[in-house]
C-alpha cells in the first residue's frame, strides 16, 4: 500500500474514531475492532491506512498487535486549520459584539 496523506486518512470517520480510541494509550487490535460493527479485517484495513499515514505505529506483543497513536503528522492538519481559527475567532467576536449591542 502506498503512503497515504494525513488528510486522506482522516477523511474516514472510522479512522478518526480509531485515533480517538488511542488517545489514552496503546490498545490491542482486537480490542479496537470490538468497538465497531465491522469485521476485524475491515478494521485492520483502516489501521493499515493509519499506519501508512504514520498516524499510528504497530507493536507486536506475542500473538497480539498493539497500536500506538503517533500525533506528529497531525501538526500538518493544525497548520492547515490555523488560518481558519483566526477567521472563526473574528466571526465569534463580531457575534458577541452584536449580541452585546442587542442586550444593551
Amino acid at each position: 500500500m502506498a503512503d497515504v496523506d494525513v488528510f486522506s486518512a482522516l477523511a474516514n470517520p472510522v479512522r478518526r474514531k480509531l485515533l480517538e480510541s488511542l488517545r489514552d494509550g496503546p490498545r490491542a487490535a482486537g480490542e479496537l475492532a470490538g468497538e465497531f460493527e465491522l469485521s476485524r479485517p475491515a478494521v485492520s484495513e483502516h489501521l493499515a491506512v493509519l499506519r501508512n499515514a504514520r498516524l499510528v505505529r504497530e507493536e507486536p506483543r506475542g500473538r497480539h498487535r498493539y497500536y500506538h497513536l503517533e500525533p506528529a503528522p497531525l501538526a500538518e492538519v493544525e497548520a492547515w486549520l490555523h488560518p481558519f481559527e483566526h477567521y472563526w475567532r473574528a466571526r465569534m467576536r463580531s457575534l458577541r459584539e452584536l449580541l452585546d449591542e442587542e442586550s444593551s
Side-chain angles (χ1 to χ4, degrees), residues 9-90:
L10 294 175
N12 184 284
V14 171
R15 294 192 285 265
R16 291 192 305 270
K17 174 82 168 125
L18 284 166
L19 291 176
E20 289 172 12
S21 296
L22 294 171
R23 282 188 302 205
D24 294 328
R27 309 246 328 257
E31 184 182 350
L32 290 167
E35 294 182 8
F36 298 92
E37 293 183 17
L38 298 171
S39 67
R40 282 185 179 225
V43 173
S44 289
E45 286 181 29
H46 286 293
L47 287 167
V49 171
L50 292 172
R51 242 187 358 262
N52 286 324
R54 295 179 179 86
L55 288 164
V56 299
R57 73 178 163 83
E58 181 183 70
E59 175 194 3
R61 292 186 198 168
R63 296 179 57 189
H64 301 283
R65 302 223 178 273
Y66 282 78
Y67 286 85
H68 300 257
L69 179 64
E70 293 291 330
L74 293 173
E76 182 181 352
V77 176
E78 181 183 17
W80 185 83
L81 285 172
H82 188 69
F84 296 99
E85 179 183 352
H86 292 292
Y87 168 79
W88 283 111
R89 284 182 192 258

Side-chain angles (χ1 to χ4, degrees), residues 1 3 9 11-12 14 40 42 70 72 87 94-95 98 100 103:
M1 181 182 288
D3 282 348
N12 184 284
V14 171
R40 282 185 179 225
E70 293 291 330
Y87 168 79
S94 296
L95 177 60
L98 178 66
D100 287 346
S103 66

